[in-house]
Amino acid sequence: MQSRTLPGNQARTARTVLDGAMLLPRPRRFDVYIAVGGLLGGLLLVSIGLGTRPADDPITLFDGPWPILVPLGVMACCELLRRAAPRTALLTGSVAICADVVTQGNLATVLMFTDIVYAAVLYGPLASARRIQWITGLLTVAATLVPFAVWRKPEALLIGVVVGVVAYGPAATGWIVRNHRDAAEAARLRAEQTALLAEMDRAQAVTSERSRMARELHDMVANHLSAIAIHSTAALSFDDPKTSRDALTVIRENSVEGLAEMRRLIGILRDAGGDTEPVAAPTLDGLDALVEGARTNGLDVHLDADPGTVPTPVELAAYRIVQESLTNALKHAGPGRVTVSLARRDGSLTVTVTSPYGDRDGPRAPGSGAGLVGMRERVALLDGTFEAGPEDSPDGKVWAVRAALPVTDTVEGDPA
């Protein structure tokens, strides 16, 4: 018959099936050492004739060295199962210790039994560990009271002491060690969960910071680059020195302003130690300069602003919404007036920007839709409302951007 080697997974499955077919699990190496050491120690005590009771003791039914070897050998075999099958080892060991009582006894057998009780509580199921605690405790009490009630001698109390040392003491020790082990495992799991939550918070913070910087970069640079693209296209389209000179002037101004904004953003990113002065964020006081720049770029802008005093996050968000709306108007709006309005209404700062909607004759700058996304995100961070789209008005169809930003004293955070 030709032999064939099984693959790794099939070989492991076959070993599992063979191990499951065996009644007794494979013992641990340390358990083998304990069993062999206990057996050799017991044989040494038998060879020198040292037992726990004399041969003429009333409870010694089988004297001589040979009867001692049977419970000693059984107890050594139980040590092999102290962790692999603790309940089986304890039941078998209990029978062996009872058999050892009717012989001259062996100290190694008693010590191995205490280790089996300890292992049954420590490694066995939780329900079994609790039952062992109760059973050994009741046995200790019974071994203390019953002999004293029968013999009425103080020496009878020593029987309960011996039972407590051999049975209840190892069970209590195993229970204490088990509680400490479970507490350490619970602490380890909590530490892992804390580390996982910290990593999730870190990843979320990184993602939030990337989104914030993306919005900031888009709002600061898109306006200037759009103006540069439109005026450079105009300069290339018309063969007029004056038109080209005016376009180049606007291009230079927007280039310088765009570079200044980029330096500001780079300074924020590089300032990790806080050694430099913080750069002031744009405020609503700068709307006049923002509108004037839009007029320089060719837009007919009318500003109607009466925001009053608002929190810093709301002020920055409103400024960025107006800035992005003017950028979109510069890129896509048709000819006509652009209206910017800021007013306090019902506990909110209402920002409205309207621009002519329709085809335009002049050059256009490409758009990706990131501006609307950024404005919507800014408003959402402040729990406000935002809408943008075409509307009908007395002057014709317009593109309207409307944002309502709650104005309260509890507004926190920086939407940028």
Side-chain angles (χ1 to χ4, degrees):
M1 180 181 297
Q2 185 178 2
S3 61
R4 183 168 61 93
T5 302
L6 293 174
N9 292 334
Q10 296 182 8
R12 285 192 294 270
T13 303
R15 286 196 299 270
T16 303
V17 172
L18 291 176
D19 292 341
M22 299 172 61
L23 296 178
L24 298 179
R26 183 176 301 175
R28 306 283 184 92
R29 180 178 298 180
F30 182 72
D31 300 340
V32 175
Y33 294 157
I34 294 178
V36 173
L39 180 61
L40 294 179
L43 292 176
L44 178 62
L45 294 177
V46 171
S47 65
I48 63 178
L50 183 60
T52 57
R53 287 174 299 278
D56 57 354
D57 193 282
I59 65 173
T60 302
L61 301 180
F62 304 96
D63 56 354
W66 299 108
I68 302 175
L69 299 179
V70 176
L72 176 64
V74 173
M75 198 69 72
C77 294
C78 292
E79 284 283 19
L80 297 175
L81 305 176
R82 61 190 297 272
R83 278 187 289 185
R87 289 185 294 183
T88 302
L90 180 60
L91 293 175
T92 308
S94 299
V95 176
I97 197 67
C98 292
D100 182 75
V101 171
V102 298
T103 66
Q104 287 183 263
N106 191 295
L107 183 59
T109 303
V110 177
L111 293 178
M112 286 192 289
F113 178 73
T114 60
D115 179 68
I116 289 174
V117 176
Y118 168 82
V121 176
L122 181 59
Y123 302 116
L126 181 60
S128 297
R130 289 173 177 170
R131 284 195 294 268
I132 293 171
Q133 282 275 96
W134 281 101
I135 292 173
T136 55
L138 293 175
L139 285 176
T140 302
V141 174
T144 303
L145 299 179
V146 173
F148 181 76
V150 173
W151 294 322
R152 298 293 180 175
K153 293 182 180 181
E155 292 81 1
L157 298 176
L158 296 177
I159 298 177
V161 175
V162 173
V163 174
V165 172
V166 173
Y168 182 73
T173 304
W175 183 258
I176 294 173
V177 174
R178 181 177 186 134
N179 285 338
H180 283 290
R181 185 190 65 179
D182 293 344
E185 180 66 17
R188 184 185 66 83
L189 291 177
R190 285 196 300 269
E192 291 180 355
Q193 293 175 356
T194 303
L196 179 60
L197 291 176
E199 179 62 23
M200 294 174 62
D201 291 341
R202 188 196 67 81
Q204 185 177 2
V206 170
T207 302
S208 177
E209 183 67 11
R210 287 177 176 174
S211 299
R212 187 184 76 86
M213 298 311 299
R215 290 194 301 269
E216 189 75 9
L217 179 63
H218 179 274
D219 292 344
M220 288 194 305
V221 179
N223 183 39
H224 303 296
L225 292 182
S226 299
I228 291 173
I230 292 174
H231 285 279
S232 61
T233 303
L236 295 173
S237 301
F238 299 99
D239 188 11
D240 183 6
K242 184 178 182 304
T243 302
S244 299
R245 180 178 294 276
D246 294 339
L248 289 176
T249 301
V250 174
I251 289 174
R252 183 186 182 282
E253 291 176 355
N254 282 275
S255 300
V256 172
E257 293 177 3
L259 287 174
E261 294 286 356
M262 285 294 296
R263 291 192 186 98
R264 171 180 172 271
L265 180 60
I266 293 173
I268 295 175
L269 294 176
R270 286 182 174 176
D271 184 19
D275 297 332
T276 60
E277 290 292 331
V279 182
T283 64
L284 295 181
D285 293 336
L287 286 180
D288 292 332
L290 184 64
V291 169
E292 187 62 30
R295 290 170 181 163
T296 303
N297 291 329
L299 290 179
D300 181 13
V301 185
H302 174 72
L303 176 63
D304 181 12
D306 185 18
T309 303
V310 296
T312 301
V314 176
E315 190 173 22
L316 179 58
Y319 181 91
R320 292 303 188 194
I321 291 172
V322 173
Q323 183 183 40
E324 180 58 30
S325 298
L326 293 178
T327 300
N328 290 339
L330 179 63
K331 293 191 293 185
H332 307 294
R337 169 168 288 192
V338 178
T339 303
V340 178
S341 173
L342 285 84
R344 295 281 292 272
R345 297 175 185 172
D346 300 330
S348 298
L349 176 63
T350 302
V351 181
T352 305
V353 181
T354 60
S355 58
Y357 182 75
D359 296 333
R360 58 187 293 171
D361 299 332
R364 300 172 62 95
S368 62
L372 292 177
V373 173
M375 288 189 288
R376 196 180 305 276
E377 289 176 350
R378 290 181 184 276
V379 175
L381 288 174
L382 296 174
D383 295 328
T385 59
F386 176 82
E387 58 181 10
E391 295 181 359
D392 292 327
S393 71
D395 297 332
K397 204 166 188 178
V398 297
W399 180 272
V401 175
R402 303 183 189 277
L405 306 175
V407 179
T408 62
D409 295 335
T410 58
V411 175
E412 298 179 358
D414 186 355

